[in-house]
Amino acid sequence: MVSNRNELSDLAVFLQIVRSRSFRKAADQLEISVSALSHRMKALEGRLGVRLLNRTSRSVSPTAAGSALAEKVAAGLDLITSGLEELQGRFSGIAGSVRINVLRDAVDLLLTPVLPLFRERYPNIELEIASEDSFVDVTAEGFDAGLRYAGTIPEDMIAVPVTEPLNWVAVASPAYLARSGRPSKPEDLLSHNCIRIRTGRGQIYHWEFERGEDKRQIDVPGALISGSTDVSVSAALSGIGIAYCLEKVAEPHLRTGRLERAVPDWSSLGPPLAFYYSSRRQVPYGLQALIQTIREVQPRHR
């Protein structure tokens, strides 16, 4: 039974070792010696009467009992940390930190517009944003949350939508359409040069279209493949071929006429963007504040 403050401290140290998988790394992070760390863990195992860690000359890993304890300790510390951050955020303006991993498209569409308001309201929340399109195990990588399309989020994660469903369209430059002709239906894309998409999970994406109840999926041809919307849109602007992207991404170019909808009567309504995080973690106050701010700037979302 946890009986005193030192016991709680030892449990926090134990969790750091499990996460680091190394006594040396944990000792450096905690700014104590390896021998002191080892002594504390042996004493903790002695008091609990169970072996928690498997030690080798090169690494350390939790036993089955250690893994179970680490999970409980992590959940408890997350709850305590979140409570302290919320208390400080409400009453002293100091609200801790939050790390998120975000799709590149979501940075400009969702985060950039809200950052000025978020920074004004919460100047003492440290917000770290990593941007990449590959799918990330946010728990294993040490992030508080990820931001992806809701349809790609694993079922064992909590998903919190922060936009309405998003519309996808095929777009091309006027020069390309004048040279190659405008498709009238999705199947016509099979005779065009399309800029294909490789998803964050490594698959080639089949473009989806719908018109009323009519829904179609096309495995488009094309010599250029990209996992980056920026590359796809830039290629379409230069007249290389037809790109498929969020309508919101193409909107500035559609307004100026630099791009046109290649199949005007067809588009696809896809899932919203959503934050996701482990169901075992307490949501940090900073993440709650960011989600609330985004929802205020996205007034139609409920």
Side-chain angles (χ1 to χ4, degrees), residues 27-106:
D28 289 344
Q29 290 163 345
L30 296 167
E31 297 183 342
I32 61 177
S33 69
V34 174
S35 60
L37 202 60
S38 179
H39 177 75
R40 288 180 68 171
M41 289 304 97
K42 287 179 181 177
L44 177 62
E45 289 174 325
R47 292 195 301 274
L48 296 177
V50 62
R51 186 180 182 86
L52 299 175
L53 298 168
N54 291 316
R55 303 165 176 84
T56 70
S57 59
R58 294 187 176 181
S59 65
V60 60
S61 62
T63 62
S67 292
L69 179 61
E71 185 175 318
K72 297 292 185 182
V73 172
L77 290 178
D78 281 345
L79 183 61
I80 292 168
T81 300
S82 178
L84 290 173
E85 288 178 350
E86 183 170 354
L87 179 69
Q88 292 173 322
R90 287 181 177 178
F91 297 104
S92 68
I94 301 170
S97 63
V98 59
R99 297 183 72 229
I100 57 175
N101 189 287
V102 181
L103 273 178
R104 289 191 179 100
D105 284 351

Side-chain angles (χ1 to χ4, degrees), residues 272-291:
L273 286 165
F275 279 101
Y276 67 98
Y277 49 85
S278 171
S279 60
R280 297 170 182 167
R281 294 201 63 176
Q282 184 71 17
V283 183
Y285 176 69
L287 180 58
Q288 295 178 44
L290 179 60
I291 290 173

Side-chain angles (χ1 to χ4, degrees), residues 170-175 177 182 242 253-254 257-264:
V171 295
S173 70
L177 295 173
R182 185 187 299 274
I242 300 174
H253 306 299
L254 293 170
R258 296 184 67 201
L259 289 177
E260 298 178 10
R261 287 181 60 164
V263 197

Side-chain angles (χ1 to χ4, degrees), residues 203-220:
Q203 300 138 336
I204 297 295
Y205 181 70
H206 294 181
W207 295 8
E208 298 178 74
F209 295 93
E210 57 188 59
R211 184 175 64 179
E213 298 299 316
D214 191 353
K215 298 184 179 182
R216 306 183 189 184
Q217 192 175 80
I218 309 296
D219 183 10
V220 298

